[in-house]
Amino acid sequence: MHPGVGAVGRRARQRLALGVLTQYRMATTEQMHRVIAPEVRIEQTRRRLARLRAEGLVDRITLPQAGRIRVWFPTPYGVQLASEWPEMRGRRPSRAVSDPTAVRLKAGHTLTVTETALVFLEDARRRGELCQPLDWISEVHHPIGSGEAVIPDALMYYRRGPSDGANGSLLRAFVEVDRATMGPERLAAKLTSYERLYHYVPAVPGRRPTLQEPGLEEWRRRYPLFPRVLFVLDGTGPAGVENRISALRAGAGLLAPSRFLNDVPVLAAPLADLLHHGPSAPVWRPVHDPGQRVPWTWRGNQQA
């Protein structure tokens, strides 16, 4: 091996580790290992994180639970540095993520979101499809007018088909992770927000939309198709899952008749099923017809 090759590889892995922590907000040592380097020993990941910490780019807290799990997060300096990279430009990192107290308070939810990312990343690796670590972006801001916004837990990019080919289809998904910390009705209200985003046309000063020149929906500036919406349910047993899916079904009924549900797959599944069967298995339930069981790539009567 050329003497410089190993050093270049180490720097690339460290760069990836900082990028992942900046986008995911936080992760345990074991989660970081599974994201960036599952093929090597976990001790190498620990050393990589320790080097980043010594350089002031990341920090950690230790959760008091059994096992004293270490949770890693980027420092303000690390966020500033990573945000300047070409692959990270235009993404708004959360300011609170670099504060140890905020990390401790948000750890339960955010680590579950990170685990959800891993479900898709690891499934793509098994299937020979493409979902890279930085294809998972937390808390992307989407305005819907009146100072309000839709901010999903994550936006995911996923390419189906062989990862080394260009013939696959690119899918996008808004991912909402619910740990049963809010009532079912509040969860269902998110459907209304996504429908508002689907229809929202920002006002252009000095111009009114007409039938001949209708305004352009805000989401079309970013996406060729509106991303599918995936609700991942955790923190409750089977009865709680059914209650939450029933609430989503009722919320979907309030939207009818609406192009949104016709055009956009909105699916829900328990995280336990994704961990056990994989997200590509038919474990997802369309919120307007929860009697069905479909894969997350489902689009109405045909799969995307």
Side-chain angles (χ1 to χ4, degrees):
M1 179 184 291
H2 187 280
V5 172
V8 171
R10 286 194 297 272
R11 284 195 294 271
R13 288 286 174 89
Q14 283 187 253
R15 180 185 174 103
L16 177 60
L18 179 57
V20 165
L21 282 176
T22 299
Q23 284 198 180
Y24 290 41
R25 311 311 193 214
M26 66 185 81
T28 66
T29 306
E30 187 254 352
Q31 286 176 332
M32 285 297 295
H33 180 65
R34 290 161 59 198
V35 172
I36 67 172
E39 74 283 359
V40 302
R41 294 189 306 159
I42 195 170
E43 286 77 11
Q44 293 188 37
T45 299
R46 291 194 181 103
R47 287 197 295 269
R48 189 165 289 123
L49 291 167
R51 282 194 292 268
L52 287 172
R53 188 179 187 220
E55 294 170 1
L57 297 169
V58 308
D59 205 348
R60 71 186 186 207
I61 61 169
T62 302
L63 297 181
Q65 292 94 326
R68 296 184 59 78
I69 296 171
R70 285 178 173 172
V71 178
W72 297 87
F73 58 96
T75 64
Y77 173 49
V79 171
Q80 178 185 352
L81 180 65
S83 298
E84 294 171 355
W85 297 341
E87 64 267 36
M88 306 281 281
R89 281 185 194 141
R91 302 179 181 178
R92 299 180 6 163
S94 168
R95 293 178 181 176
V97 75
S98 295
D99 176 76
T101 301
V103 169
R104 200 176 301 277
L105 291 173
K106 295 182 177 183
H109 179 264
T110 308
L111 293 177
T112 304
V113 175
T114 298
E115 191 64 28
T116 303
L118 274 158
V119 164
F120 286 96
L121 290 173
E122 292 174 337
D123 192 56
R125 290 168 183 166
R126 285 192 297 268
R127 298 170 64 83
E129 298 182 326
L130 194 62
C131 186
Q132 303 278 29
L134 296 183
D135 288 336
W136 182 272
I137 311 169
S138 297
E139 299 178 359
V140 180
H141 187 274
H142 298 80
I144 54 176
S146 303
E148 299 179 72
V150 172
I151 307 175
D153 286 320
L155 166 67
M156 177 180 67
Y157 292 88
Y158 189 107
R159 182 173 291 279
R160 297 189 71 202
S163 59
D164 57 353
N167 297 324
S169 57
L170 179 61
L171 303 181
R172 301 164 187 82
F174 293 132
V175 182
E176 293 283 354
V177 176
D178 174 64
R179 298 178 63 241
T181 54
M182 65 176 72
E185 294 76 17
R186 282 185 59 198
L187 174 66
K190 293 189 175 186
L191 288 174
T192 303
S193 297
Y194 279 106
E195 187 196 32
R196 284 181 61 187
L197 174 61
Y198 181 79
H199 292 292
Y200 172 60
V201 177
V204 177
R207 179 181 171 188
R208 290 186 177 180
T210 65
L211 289 176
Q212 292 74 27
E213 292 187 55
L216 184 71
E217 290 90 349
E218 174 68 18
W219 63 266
R220 294 186 189 276
R221 303 176 192 275
R222 307 188 191 198
Y223 315 113
L225 293 173
F226 195 92
R228 63 195 60 228
V229 182
L230 306 178
F231 287 93
V232 177
L233 309 177
D234 193 36
T236 183
V241 167
E242 291 303 320
N243 286 340
R244 304 184 96 67
I245 289 178
S246 294
L248 287 168
R249 170 68 183 90
L254 296 176
L255 302 183
S258 169
R259 276 195 358 256
F260 171 65
L261 285 177
N262 289 330
D263 295 347
V264 180
V266 183
L267 311 172
L271 178 58
D273 285 356
L274 306 187
L275 291 168
H276 186 68
H277 301 287
S280 297
V283 296
W284 298 86
R285 300 166 68 174
V287 297
H288 68 285
D289 184 12
Q292 292 193 69
R293 300 292 191 279
V294 300
W296 76 270
T297 53
W298 179 83
R299 283 197 73 91
N301 294 323
Q302 61 182 5
Q303 291 184 33

